[in-house]
Amino acid sequence: MSVNQNINTVQDYEDVLTAMEGYVNGLKTGNVAALKKTFHNDAIMYGHLGDDLSEGSIDNLYTYVEKFGAAPNIKTNLTVLHKTPTTAIVRIEMEHDAADEDFTDYHSLIKINGEWKVVAKLFHLYTK
């Protein structure tokens, strides 16, 4: 499937947000299999957890969700910061995850075979 490099449609923005809503729903339900659909197999994740740097594979996210489970009280706000026909940057403001933590995430996405996948996640954990 070829990607038209010269068109940036409203539907594209909606498709990016739909992909990220899959991430939020995976967190809300604690469903790691659902989360994995949002991310590229080789995705990476970086951010500070207190004084420790969480770095490397997106598997770190899956381990976190397996440890803490579902986040039924999570509240989020998703914003597409920028998008081209094949790339996007999304900010997610998040309150009350499964560990009752608050985060800001930045997700970098790429469109592969017509499907948006997160290739990198940066996050900031707020001190309560």
Side-chain angles (χ1 to χ4, degrees), residues 6 8 10-11 13 16 18 22 24 26 29 33-34 37-38 41 44 46 50 65 71 76 81-82 84 93 114 116:
N6 300 314
N8 210 16
V10 171
Q11 183 63 52
Y13 285 88
V16 167
T18 297
V24 170
T29 61
K37 292 178 184 176
T38 304
N41 289 339
I44 57 172
Y46 285 81
V65 172
T76 60
L81 298 176
H82 192 73
T84 71
E93 300 291 349
W116 289 100

Side-chain angles (χ1 to χ4, degrees), residues 69-82:
N73 299 318
I74 196 169
K75 294 187 187 304
T76 60
N77 179 280
L78 287 68
T79 305
V80 177
L81 298 176
H82 192 73

Side-chain angles (χ1 to χ4, degrees), residues 4-108:
N4 188 330
Q5 302 290 329
N6 300 314
I7 297 175
N8 210 16
T9 67
V10 171
Q11 183 63 52
D12 289 333
Y13 285 88
E14 291 173 2
D15 291 345
V16 167
L17 289 173
T18 297
M20 296 316 305
E21 286 167 2
Y23 165 70
V24 170
N25 288 333
L27 294 176
K28 184 176 260 191
T29 61
N31 186 332
V32 172
L35 279 175
K36 287 182 177 183
K37 292 178 184 176
T38 304
F39 292 90
H40 186 278
N41 289 339
D42 296 323
I44 57 172
M45 179 175 99
Y46 285 81
H48 291 277
L49 294 172
D51 292 334
D52 297 324
L53 179 63
S54 176
E55 57 185 323
S57 170
I58 198 64
D59 289 339
N60 292 323
L61 172 65
Y62 308 146
T63 300
Y64 182 90
V65 172
E66 286 169 351
K67 177 179 179 181
F68 291 103
N73 299 318
I74 196 169
K75 294 187 187 304
T76 60
N77 179 280
L78 287 68
T79 305
V80 177
L81 298 176
H82 192 73
K83 198 196 80 51
T84 71
T86 60
T87 62
I89 303 293
V90 176
R91 179 184 64 223
I92 301 177
E93 300 291 349
M94 192 178 331
E95 297 175 352
H96 307 294
D97 78 346
D100 199 32
E101 301 286 1
D102 300 340
F103 289 89
T104 295
D105 287 357
Y106 296 95
H107 293 252
S108 298

